[in-house]
Amino acid sequence: MIDDPYWAWLMENTGQGKNSPSEIRPRTSARLFTGDFDAAIEEVFRMRDEFLGDHPGDLSNPKGSDALMWDIDGYLDPTNEPPSITAPPTPPIEVDPYDLATLHFLLRSSLVLGEDIDAEGITHFREFSKQCARHAHFMLTTRQDLPTPIWARELGKSFKSSGVASSVVVDKITIATTLRSQIYAYSYPARHRIEVSAVTREHLRTVNLLLCSVSSRMLDPRTRSNSLETGKSIVDFLLPYVFSLYFPRVNYSSLPIPRARNAEVFSVAHRAAQVQAKFLLAHEYAHILKHENRKPGRELELEADNFAYDLLFDYPEFGESGDSFLIYMSAKWLFLYLSLDRIVGAVLSDYEIDWIDLPIRNRDAILIPRVPKVKGTMEQQALQQVGDILLFNAKHTLRVRGIDWIKSAAREFELRHCF
């Protein structure tokens, strides 16, 4: 296979020439994918099947499936289902349909569908969705603010318990939730304030759920042949969510609802979203704690990324149960997805397209020195590699389809999913 230009750039610019892809097993997917999806996937299959086989606890095993699963870090949990609200407030108050749809999406996302859900489960989910819509409307008409997400509150507690920053300093930092349809976190150091979109974590969990479910099906010899075409066309499953980041009046309630293959797959997708959300927020904490009187620039952005990486990898309070590979995989997928996001944004804004996207790759590249400390099972590595290849292939497919096709698909999205 031809060399990937990203790796050529890495070896030239990051001093990682000795750590070539052939010497770093977890990064094989970046080397493998050069536009030949079938060849890349077959290589991962070969490595996975040779070293792993089918074990009862792996992600491709359908045992342990659940029809409905709760995301207990969302805005509702099994003990806090939305109340049944039958009477509208008096006098009636008009609500913004965008706000209503976004709140409904956030509340409804607390309950996740499994692939093996039956008719009774679908009925329960639909009733839950109706209650979420009523509750969202009630929140808007009574002017209730959406609470700060659980994961954002927990991050502040982690700073206090870790000793990275004093409780007095952390308590001065306020986190405000917005309903912006973006993967968005921004800090105002002088005001000790961070804004974060409430959509961010739920959006990333949805993307992770797609990647994990498709990857686990492809890795399972029993479902592999039926899943390859889905993997090849993964960009069509991802694009509704990517497009949702570029239109101001998105009806989030109308976007496709992905299903989790099983409880294990959902757990990985959920935990990966937690890591990604914590990384984005920790990056903003870094600007407030370290950069208040410094001029913004690339150096500060990389410092903030390293600060966030240090917290996730080196402090148990911020990591995900000490799972270094999950943290590594989550960061990789985040940046690959953001790269796809930026390409679509460039097309829709008529900017020049950077297909390699060095600014995003720069953020990924500083993970490389940590690779020797990243420990993962063959099953984890295979899942990460296939997920990487799916995201690489999505970007490659967009390049093949071309700018006019992307713009046409975006117009169709706007007609179907925007107010």
Side-chain angles (χ1 to χ4, degrees):
M1 289 187 179
I2 61 175
D3 291 334
D4 188 310
Y6 171 49
W7 283 107
W9 175 84
L10 280 182
M11 289 188 285
E12 181 180 350
N13 292 279
T14 65
Q16 298 297 324
K18 294 182 179 180
N19 292 337
S20 66
S22 61
E23 298 175 82
I24 303 176
R25 191 176 189 86
R27 297 186 64 89
T28 306
S29 51
R31 171 174 60 92
L32 286 174
F33 187 76
T34 56
D36 189 340
F37 178 83
D38 290 325
I41 288 295
E42 281 302 319
E43 178 63 13
V44 176
F45 289 166
R46 183 194 63 77
M47 292 188 294
R48 189 267 188 190
D49 293 345
E50 178 181 350
F51 292 100
L52 184 70
D54 289 318
H55 290 291
D58 71 31
L59 292 175
S60 61
N61 183 3
K63 293 181 179 179
S65 298
D66 287 303
L68 290 166
M69 290 156 274
W70 281 97
D71 182 347
I72 60 174
D73 291 308
Y75 288 96
L76 294 171
D77 61 53
T79 64
N80 186 29
E81 289 198 41
S84 297
I85 300 170
T86 55
T90 303
I93 300 173
E94 288 191 15
V95 299
D96 186 321
Y98 166 74
D99 291 343
L100 180 62
T102 306
L103 279 175
H104 173 239
F105 163 76
L106 292 172
L107 296 174
R108 188 195 65 194
S109 294
S110 298
L111 197 58
V112 178
L113 294 171
E115 286 186 1
D116 59 352
I117 192 169
D118 57 15
E120 183 180 353
I122 291 291
T123 299
H124 177 81
F125 180 79
R126 285 175 176 166
E127 181 56 35
F128 172 78
S129 179
K130 290 178 184 177
Q131 291 183 32
C132 287
R134 297 188 194 105
H135 190 48
H137 188 273
F138 180 76
M139 291 175 66
L140 290 171
T141 55
T142 56
R143 294 181 172 81
Q144 293 183 33
D145 292 330
L146 191 69
T148 302
I150 294 173
W151 58 269
R153 298 199 303 269
E154 290 299 318
L155 195 68
K157 294 178 182 177
S158 297
F159 270 103
K160 294 180 182 180
S161 60
S162 68
V164 173
S166 71
S167 297
V168 174
V169 172
V170 173
D171 286 338
K172 290 181 179 179
I173 300 173
T174 59
I175 299 175
T177 304
T178 74
L179 290 180
R180 294 178 63 169
S181 56
Q182 292 179 325
I183 299 174
Y184 168 80
Y186 191 79
S187 56
Y188 300 87
R191 296 161 56 189
H192 286 75
R193 175 185 172 89
I194 297 174
E195 286 186 359
V196 59
S197 170
V199 171
T200 295
R201 192 196 72 100
E202 274 66 18
H203 183 114
L204 291 172
R205 194 206 67 195
T206 298
V207 171
N208 292 334
L209 196 57
L210 280 168
L211 294 173
C212 287
S213 291
V214 174
S215 295
S216 70
R217 279 193 162 276
M218 292 172 66
L219 288 167
D220 188 341
R222 294 163 294 188
T223 54
R224 180 175 298 170
S225 60
N226 296 329
S227 305
L228 286 173
E229 288 305 315
T230 302
K232 288 181 181 180
S233 58
I234 192 68
V235 69
D236 296 315
F237 296 93
L238 292 172
L239 270 182
Y241 307 103
V242 180
F243 284 147
S244 75
L245 303 175
Y246 287 95
F247 291 92
R249 304 285 293 173
V250 175
N251 179 0
Y252 261 94
S253 290
S254 72
L255 296 185
I257 303 175
R259 298 186 184 188
R261 188 177 184 212
N262 54 43
E264 290 77 16
V265 164
F266 167 70
S267 176
V268 173
H270 163 259
R271 292 169 61 207
Q274 293 294 90
V275 170
Q276 292 160 345
K278 288 178 182 178
F279 174 86
L280 292 171
L281 207 57
H283 176 104
E284 301 307 325
Y285 267 95
H287 288 315
I288 293 177
L289 297 173
K290 302 168 74 70
H291 300 155
E292 183 173 346
N293 297 314
R294 296 174 62 181
K295 184 178 179 180
R298 177 175 176 273
E299 180 183 355
L300 267 58
E301 294 306 311
L302 292 179
E303 281 185 13
D305 277 354
N306 268 315
F307 177 82
Y309 284 140
D310 287 343
L311 296 183
L312 290 172
F313 279 101
D314 301 332
Y315 289 81
E317 295 87 351
F318 296 93
E320 191 63 33
S321 302
D323 191 340
S324 62
F325 200 92
L326 177 75
I327 296 169
Y328 170 79
M329 183 187 78
S330 304
K332 290 276 281 122
W333 286 3
L334 173 64
F335 291 127
L336 287 172
Y337 182 67
L338 290 179
S339 180
L340 186 69
D341 157 28
R342 282 163 57 100
I343 286 169
V344 170
V347 170
L348 298 183
S349 303
D350 293 317
Y351 295 153
E352 183 179 353
I353 304 172
D354 178 3
W355 289 100
I356 296 179
D357 200 351
L358 294 186
I360 288 290
R361 289 305 211 169
N362 228 4
R363 302 179 72 181
D364 179 21
I366 59 177
L367 266 174
I368 294 178
R370 296 186 179 276
V371 169
K373 297 181 181 180
V374 173
K375 307 300 180 184
T377 65
M378 179 58 68
E379 182 69 16
Q380 287 178 308
Q381 292 185 39
L383 183 75
Q384 177 252 317
Q385 288 165 357
V386 174
D388 281 12
I389 292 171
L390 291 175
L391 289 165
F392 277 117
N393 185 60
K395 187 162 70 171
H396 175 76
T397 302
L398 288 184
R399 190 168 191 174
V400 171
R401 291 181 180 179
I403 292 173
D404 290 341
W405 183 92
I406 297 172
K407 288 184 175 181
S408 176
R411 286 193 294 270
E412 182 179 346
F413 172 88
E414 186 175 17
L415 290 173
R416 293 183 61 186
H417 298 293
C418 294
F419 293 107

